[in-house]
Amino acid sequence: MAMFTVGHHPWVFASGILGNLMSFLVYLAPIPTFTRIIKKRSTEGFQSVPYVIALFSAMLWMYYGLVKTSASFLLTVNGFGCLIEIIYISIYLIFAPRRARILTLRLLVLINLGGFCLILMVTNFMVKRPHRAKAVGWVCLIFAVSVFAAPLSIMRLVIQTKSVEFMPLPLSVCLTLSAVGWFFYGILQMDLYIAMPNTLGFIFGLIQMILYAMYRNSTPVTKEPKLPEQVIDIVKVNTNSNTEVHPVSTLQPNCVENEGGNGQNARKETEHAEESMGGSNQV
């Protein structure tokens, strides 16, 4: 237990424990999704991007914990994050169709191998040791701030539909408590690279819970059926840093059966946004 008495400050220890516990719960949130994938032996159109980016985020913060002294809590939570995301990605690769499997492998090589190795080389060979932690901290800070598009997209969907179906309260609470724990951990450690992104996490978490209280008993907004017409749907998937835009040609629903199918697709896309919001924003 001595390795976790960071700075011998009890509040640092308490905030680090809170951040770790809540982050563990957030990392475990996609388990029902992958249980379903294993049972159906199909990825059902789910995308691997959120998990690839979540793995990259955990790798970055783990690297920051290694170059920074007194960062045991960062190493534990992000070590667990790396392990669980590797498991998720491995399951995805087993059951994904060939095209999705190839895309996932390309992303892993480009982002997790190429991108991370580039950061390692630049910070080790171009940055002097006394400034290395600051350089890696800035990379982590910029990456963490850039992934907050996922909560924004979820909140916009809740406001538009007046429904909290796609914003589970337990996950929002865990994300908020995680942000609170890591914010105080960063402040007490005088580490702004940890504290600053979690300020946004705390604010967005509070807004999500306020929206939940506002719309939990509201009647969802439904659209009137329209005549069939060819349209282009833009599906944005935030990944925790990058946003992919996938043009998909779809036929607008003109019957109840099609509306049900589109609702299921929307639910899958939104579950991905929620999971990416969780995994990628972990410190």
Side-chain angles (χ1 to χ4, degrees), residues 6 9 42 66 112-113 116 129 139 145 184 188 202 231 260 270 274:
V6 185
H9 196 300
S42 170
L66 289 172
N112 299 84
L113 181 60
F116 188 71
R129 182 177 293 274
V139 173
V145 171
F184 282 109
L188 293 171
F202 174 67
V231 297
T270 311
E274 281 287 353

Side-chain angles (χ1 to χ4, degrees), residues 126-145:
M126 299 182 66
V127 179
K128 295 181 180 180
R129 182 177 293 274
H131 305 291
R132 191 169 298 160
K134 290 183 179 180
V136 179
W138 274 110
V139 173
C140 293
L141 172 61
I142 294 171
F143 183 84
V145 171

Side-chain angles (χ1 to χ4, degrees), residues 263-277:
Q264 291 177 357
N265 291 336
R267 184 173 294 106
K268 290 178 183 178
E269 293 162 7
T270 311
E271 286 176 2
H272 265 80
E274 281 287 353
E275 292 168 2
S276 65
M277 173 180 68

